[in-house]
Amino acid sequence: SQIERVPDYGRVLLENSPAQEGDALLIASTSGRNAVVIDMAVAARERRIRTIAITSVEYSASVPSRHPSGKRLLDLCDIVIDNCAPLGDAAVQVPGVEQKTGPLSTVLGGVVVNALVCQTIANLVERGIDPPIYISANMPGGDEHNARLLAENASRIHYM
């Protein structure tokens, strides 16, 4: 929780990645108020990298920015996808407990990212491009299929 508040750390993270002009960068932060994601969005814009925020518009609009600029992630990204997480990212009220629990941002973020992947695949197919899709390693031939795709795309996969 403290690291996400360190000014300029987001810029350093981006500078130490292979991201470059023409790329798209997904930045997820449900509150969208901390320095790391804001600095990363600013640095991406400077490098002409398109930014897509996955954030809670309600949550972000309800809390002040912690960044010196006063900006929030949703103020800086090219595309904002609302994960619809409630204020505080807690959905379940347990009787006898004041604070809600049951965060939703992780599961909602997963749904959003997987929906983006599915739509991207559909867009590629529509353009006549055969997308490289990993299959479950638990399917017959899965390990071999995935190893082939990894080898073919090794120059584009930087963190495996």
Side-chain angles (χ1 to χ4, degrees), residues 80-137:
V80 175
I81 299 173
D82 188 358
N83 69 11
C84 298
L87 180 62
D89 192 21
V92 177
Q93 185 70 61
V94 175
V97 179
E98 184 177 339
Q99 175 61 45
K100 285 184 177 181
T101 189
L104 295 174
S105 60
T106 303
V107 69
L108 293 171
V111 168
V112 168
V113 169
N114 284 322
L116 288 171
V117 168
C118 292
Q119 187 60 56
T120 299
I121 290 168
N123 291 352
L124 290 171
V125 169
E126 188 175 292
R127 293 180 186 170
I129 298 169
D130 183 22
I133 302 171
Y134 291 114
I135 62 174
S136 171

Side-chain angles (χ1 to χ4, degrees), residues 46-89:
E46 291 168 358
R47 290 175 159 209
R48 298 180 186 210
I49 297 169
R50 299 230 356 144
T51 52
I52 303 165
I54 301 175
T55 191
S56 168
V57 173
E58 174 193 358
Y59 195 156
S60 190
S62 300
V63 295
S65 172
R66 287 190 174 127
H67 193 266
S69 70
K71 301 273 189 197
R72 294 166 305 210
L73 185 61
L74 59 77
D75 300 323
L76 298 166
C77 288
D78 299 305
I79 298 170
V80 175
I81 299 173
D82 188 358
N83 69 11
C84 298
L87 180 62
D89 192 21

